[in-house]
Amino acid sequence: MTLTEPVTSLKGVGPRIADRLQALDIRSVQDLLFHLPRRYEDRTRITAIGSLHPGQHAVIDAEVELADIKYGRRRSLLVRVSDGTGFLTVRLFHFSNSQLSAFSRGSRFRFFGEVRQGSATCEMVHPEYDLLLVDEPAELEDRLTPVYPATEGVSQLLLRRYSDQALAQLDTTNLPELIPESLLSDWTFPGLSDAVRFVHRPPVGEDFAELEAGHHPAQQRLAFEELLAHHLSLKVVRNRSKDKQAPVLPEDCRLCRQFETALPFKLTNAQARVVKEIAADLAHGHPMMRLIQGDVGSGKTVVAALAALQTVANDYQVAIMAPTELLAEQHYQNFQSWLEPLGLHVGWLSGKVKGKARVACLTGVSEGTAQVVIGTHALFQEDVVFHRLGLIIIDEQHRFGVHQRLALRDKGAENQWVPHQLIMTATPIPRTLAMTFYADLDHSIIDELPPGRTPVQTVAVVDSRRDEVIQRVKHACAEGSQTYWVCALIEQSDVLQCQAAEDVAVMLTQGLPELTVGLVHGRMKAKEKSAIMADFKAGGIDLLVATTVIEVGVDVPNASLMIIENAERLGLAQLHQLRGRVGRGSKQSSCVLMYQGPLSVIARKRLDVMRNTNDGFEVAREDLELRGPGEVLGTRQTGDIQFKIADLTRDSGMLDDVERVATCLLVDYPQHISPLIQRWLGTADRYGHV
Ligand code: ADP
Ligand code: MG
């Protein structure tokens, strides 16, 4: 038997079980070896009841004192047991008559379960148990017990049985080492097969805390390889896309120069640098896949416009996609005002564009009379056919995952070439995440804000001091500034959130009769929303009450004060986005984070981060530290990548080496790449096709 044989070659695995194992991505014997435990239980020793503490998982040997059915809110069987050092109650909510009679007074059992604090004694709810026979000594486990990710119809017990068989095969066949030893010489890792064996069945005496924390060298060896496999999978995507053809769009662009001359400002050095990087990419026949990271307000839109112009100047079309209607519309207005004077036509397509307007737009897109088309996801619906799409620009990328990105590009692909892709994000991505989630992209960073901006001053104020905050708004508006008042969610429900914003608007209108108060929220019609925003921008509204819909893309330089309610409930990235709406003019701007006290330690830390820095990269780094990568990127993206053993926060120190090893493998050991990816990511098609 070899490790590549299907699981059905194992004892006890028939087609039905094999089917269920597939749900866990387990198809071969080797897959079982790479199906790694999530955690461990220590069933290697018996704990005296007297020394148990709540929260602990423990094995106890005890004698039944009394078994009784209790009829409370829920019928339950309570079994009082003792081992001479104390009493414990075993509680079963589901039980049969035979179970009831088995727990007869004086019979002895071994229980394993989590200890909880009951009303009088410690309890175990539905522990695993075995009857202890007098003349048959029950053996304890001599290894820690692994707990695997399981699925319906495949219990821990079965997974342990199957992995036992798979591990037995490791005694005769080693797993192929795909990372040459010389590349790992800086680390004190065990060999791969030893690491796998260890992680499945750690021997007694290993430091349990070290294991639980994932710091054991065997775990680290596997985590390293897993990170490497993920990194490589993205590199492969990227290299394959380099083999494809994209339109060659030479740099020398009269339209670009015309546009730059007409701008009321000069590009910052950072903008100019990134514009150059993009221009060079477009001039090559390989598809550009570039991510621009730039803090809110760093001026990404102008950079995108220059890329668009270079494309249009070469007779290709540009599609610009934003995640929300509001942001897309803001881009539409900007691009219209910039490009129409140059004689270009800009199309607008959102889900809400219907009927004749839609037909007209679609015709413009398919005939190529609309050189630039702006919209939401609607841009990539089936009936949208481009004449000659040369460049796709995606704003606020962090909402889309790798595979959505590829799907989008395929949409624009035609015959033998694919369009260039430019992705802009205002949520700076810490390097650790970038390497793991965005290694298929080239990166450009706009690390400079346009001149004349003064950093936003941020303060945190407890909700009970609301009156002072209102006075502050009054002051600011009296001096000619405008203010945002953001109502962040208390309720998950959209309806209630909008209700809250409406209530606040009423309260503020009454409290500040001398001001014009406007309201914008997610349940308003798109037209109403943009009318209010336009009014605010024109200065017709002093104080704009909003739900978090204003998070992205709104640009009103005269707004210099922002109040955020329930700030403690928002993520740091979102707070930073919101705050980026002020501080766009030359005036000193402020942001007041109102919170409901008392704050938890973490909440306090988060607000402190916001008070202490205006730097989006710093905010992102702290966010990662406080919340972990899953939360930071959102489920959409982490749904793409689930690690079996690696942990980006814990293992971030490995990433430099992972990158180094990946580069070596790509150059010197190309034949190891796909077995490595397959070992960790399975045969999932999504990584195969580009
Ligand atoms: P973001 O990077 O957040 O998308 P925008 O592109 O919306 O930022 O730019 C924010 C504001 O800065 C806009 O009003 C834009 O016109 C202005 N801006 C962009 N570049 C410069 C520059 N080099 N000098 C002065 N203002 C600029
Ligand atoms: Mg923007």
Side-chain angles (χ1 to χ4, degrees):
M1 232 187 321
T2 65
L3 297 172
T4 50
E5 295 220 6
V7 277
T8 44
S9 66
L10 298 176
K11 234 173 49 198
V13 184
R16 274 233 332 261
I17 295 280
D19 251 12
R20 290 179 189 157
L21 286 174
Q22 265 200 35
L24 296 169
D25 264 335
I26 300 172
R27 292 176 181 78
S28 66
V29 175
Q30 171 172 297
D31 292 343
L32 267 171
L33 293 175
F34 285 89
H35 189 66
L36 301 175
R38 282 256 170 270
R39 59 183 179 84
Y40 300 96
E41 289 169 353
D42 185 353
R43 304 184 185 197
T44 62
R45 60 204 157 84
I46 294 164
T47 307
I49 293 178
S51 65
L52 291 177
H53 52 84
Q56 182 181 9
H57 284 81
V59 181
I60 59 167
D61 276 358
E63 193 173 308
V64 175
E65 301 267 333
L66 182 76
D68 206 5
I69 299 179
K70 193 169 159 258
Y71 298 88
R73 239 176 337 132
R74 260 176 101 184
R75 195 177 80 120
S76 56
L77 173 61
L78 299 184
V79 185
R80 192 173 141 95
V81 302
S82 111
D83 68 352
T85 70
F87 293 101
L88 179 133
T89 306
V90 169
R91 186 186 287 272
L92 302 181
F93 291 110
H94 314 280
F95 55 93
S96 61
N97 282 336
S98 64
Q99 275 174 309
L100 179 56
S101 51
F103 287 118
S104 61
R105 187 181 161 83
S107 50
R108 291 173 44 79
F109 287 86
R110 172 164 297 168
F111 298 95
F112 175 83
E114 185 183 349
V115 180
R116 300 195 196 173
Q117 187 57 57
S119 50
T121 62
C122 278
E123 289 192 3
M124 283 187 180
V125 179
H126 281 278
E128 292 175 35
Y129 65 86
D130 277 312
L131 183 64
L132 294 173
L133 300 172
V134 187
D135 44 355
E136 234 179 81
E139 280 178 26
L140 279 165
E141 302 279 345
D142 61 352
R143 306 259 155 174
L144 294 174
T145 306
V147 180
Y148 294 102
T151 185
E152 222 178 292
V154 189
S155 65
Q156 291 298 329
L157 197 71
L158 286 180
L159 284 168
R160 266 177 241 148
R161 239 180 244 163
Y162 304 150
S163 55
D164 270 339
Q165 295 182 54
L167 287 164
Q169 292 193 29
L170 267 193
D171 293 340
T172 51
T173 345
N174 268 334
L175 282 160
E177 295 276 357
L178 298 171
I179 313 176
E181 211 175 313
S182 59
L183 296 181
L184 291 178
S185 57
D186 290 352
W187 300 84
T188 48
F189 288 147
L192 179 65
S193 297
D194 286 341
V196 166
R197 212 172 289 136
F198 179 92
V199 161
H200 281 278
R201 301 288 183 272
V204 189
E206 282 307 322
D207 181 352
F208 199 64
E210 185 186 38
L211 269 178
E212 291 276 272
H215 288 311
H216 191 281
Q219 293 167 303
Q220 295 280 290
R221 166 67 180 81
L222 296 177
F224 187 94
E225 191 172 307
E226 181 172 35
L227 288 171
L228 179 66
H230 277 279
H231 187 65
L232 282 169
S233 77
L234 291 173
K235 286 276 190 212
V236 167
V237 165
R238 172 169 150 162
N239 289 347
R240 287 208 196 137
S241 83
K242 280 195 177 143
D243 295 342
K244 303 225 168 185
Q245 299 290 310
V248 178
L249 310 169
E251 274 184 60
D252 185 32
C253 168
R254 195 179 47 82
L255 275 175
C256 300
R257 287 197 301 272
Q258 234 178 311
F259 170 73
E260 259 195 83
T261 321
L263 280 177
F265 48 75
K266 224 171 123 288
L267 295 186
T268 62
N269 290 331
Q271 282 171 318
R273 188 188 68 237
V274 172
V275 165
K276 250 197 173 147
E277 287 166 354
I278 297 168
D281 280 358
L282 294 177
H284 282 106
H286 303 297
M288 166 173 77
M289 286 189 79
R290 188 171 282 281
L291 176 71
I292 306 183
Q293 300 184 54
D295 214 339
V296 244
S298 61
K300 294 183 289 294
T301 324
V302 180
V303 172
L306 282 161
L309 285 170
Q310 185 174 338
T311 309
V312 171
N314 288 287
D315 256 348
Y316 279 89
Q317 286 172 297
V318 180
I320 302 177
M321 183 171 80
T324 68
E325 193 102 353
L326 199 64
L327 180 55
E329 187 163 344
Q330 177 111 11
H331 280 323
Y332 177 55
Q333 283 162 4
N334 271 332
F335 277 81
Q336 244 188 337
S337 72
W338 285 338
L339 304 192
E340 298 207 329
L342 301 174
L344 302 178
H345 180 61
V346 182
W348 165 245
L349 200 63
S350 83
K352 300 216 170 92
V353 178
K354 299 240 158 72
K356 268 192 197 148
R358 185 176 170 85
V359 173
C361 181
L362 290 181
T363 313
V365 176
S366 66
E367 292 180 352
T369 48
Q371 288 103 338
V372 175
V373 191
I374 298 176
T376 54
H377 290 79
L379 275 182
F380 292 91
Q381 273 158 11
E382 222 153 292
D383 58 343
V384 184
V385 181
F386 288 89
H387 177 59
R388 258 155 75 89
L389 184 59
L391 170 66
I392 298 173
I393 299 175
I394 306 173
D395 199 3
E396 305 298 335
Q397 153 65 18
H398 62 290
R399 290 156 200 256
F400 307 101
V402 179
H403 307 297
Q404 286 164 301
R405 210 150 67 211
L406 293 177
L408 265 185
R409 202 189 56 184
D410 290 346
K411 166 78 187 174
E414 205 180 279
N415 306 326
Q416 62 300 66
W417 56 260
V418 296
H420 297 282
Q421 228 182 83
L422 185 64
I423 291 147
M424 306 191 284
T425 175
T427 306
I429 299 158
R431 212 183 80 81
T432 51
L433 293 189
M435 265 190 58
T436 325
F437 292 89
Y438 298 98
D440 60 327
L441 301 175
D442 291 309
H443 294 234
S444 292
I445 298 181
I446 307 183
D447 49 4
E448 183 185 354
L449 292 179
R453 304 261 171 94
T454 35
V456 180
Q457 271 177 2
T458 303
V459 294
V461 173
V462 65
D463 189 59
S464 56
R465 285 169 55 198
R466 176 176 290 259
D467 284 344
E468 289 167 45
V469 175
I470 293 175
Q471 285 312 307
R472 186 164 178 169
V473 172
K474 183 174 167 174
H475 245 81
C477 292
E479 286 177 355
S481 283
Q482 289 168 281
T483 302
Y484 292 104
W485 189 296
V486 182
C487 303
L489 55 157
I490 308 183
E491 301 288 342
Q492 284 302 327
S493 137
D494 199 24
V495 181
L496 290 174
Q497 213 190 124
C498 298
Q499 179 66 48
E502 275 167 14
D503 293 349
V504 168
V506 168
M507 183 269 292
L508 289 171
T509 310
Q510 285 164 356
L512 297 164
E514 63 278 36
L515 300 185
T516 315
V517 179
L519 171 67
V520 57
H521 62 59
R523 291 173 67 82
M524 285 163 63
K525 293 218 173 74
K527 256 200 191 136
E528 287 176 88
K529 265 191 279 190
S530 38
I532 299 274
M533 291 314 303
D535 199 9
F536 186 58
K537 193 161 185 169
I541 292 174
D542 301 306
L543 172 57
L544 182 67
V545 178
T547 52
T548 44
V549 294
I550 61 158
E551 180 189 343
V552 280
V554 179
D555 188 26
V556 181
N558 190 46
S560 64
L561 176 60
M562 172 173 286
I563 317 295
I564 304 177
E565 286 204 64
N566 300 307
E568 80 279 11
R569 300 185 187 237
L570 292 179
L572 287 184
Q574 198 177 11
L575 284 173
H576 184 67
Q577 289 291 310
L578 283 168
R579 179 173 63 179
R581 303 302 120 203
V582 293
R584 300 196 150 214
S586 48
K587 243 180 281 178
Q588 171 63 58
S589 292
S590 317
C591 177
V592 178
L593 305 173
M594 280 215 281
Y595 62 86
Q596 313 256 355
L599 287 177
S600 67
V601 177
I602 288 274
R604 162 69 62 194
K605 271 198 191 144
R606 285 148 49 86
L607 294 185
D608 283 347
V609 170
M610 294 304 295
R611 291 190 324 164
N612 294 336
T613 183
N614 270 294
D615 177 344
F617 281 85
E618 183 62 22
V619 169
R621 209 183 50 72
E622 299 273 0
D623 203 17
L624 180 64
E625 201 130 288
L626 291 172
R627 289 196 305 162
E631 296 279 321
V632 172
L633 285 173
T635 43
R636 271 252 185 106
Q637 264 161 32
T638 40
D640 276 359
I641 297 186
Q642 288 281 339
F643 292 110
K644 293 169 192 275
I645 191 163
D647 176 322
L648 284 180
T649 312
R650 180 192 70 206
D651 303 329
S652 62
M654 292 180 179
L655 289 170
D656 278 336
D657 255 33
V658 165
E659 194 166 24
R660 179 179 63 79
V661 171
T663 311
C664 287
L665 287 180
L666 284 164
V667 175
D668 294 329
Y669 301 88
Q671 72 281 15
H672 288 189
I673 309 285
S674 21
L676 245 176
I677 294 174
Q678 211 219 306
R679 180 184 277 177
W680 288 96
L681 304 174
T683 45
D685 281 350
R686 48 188 206 201
Y687 293 99
H689 301 302
V690 182

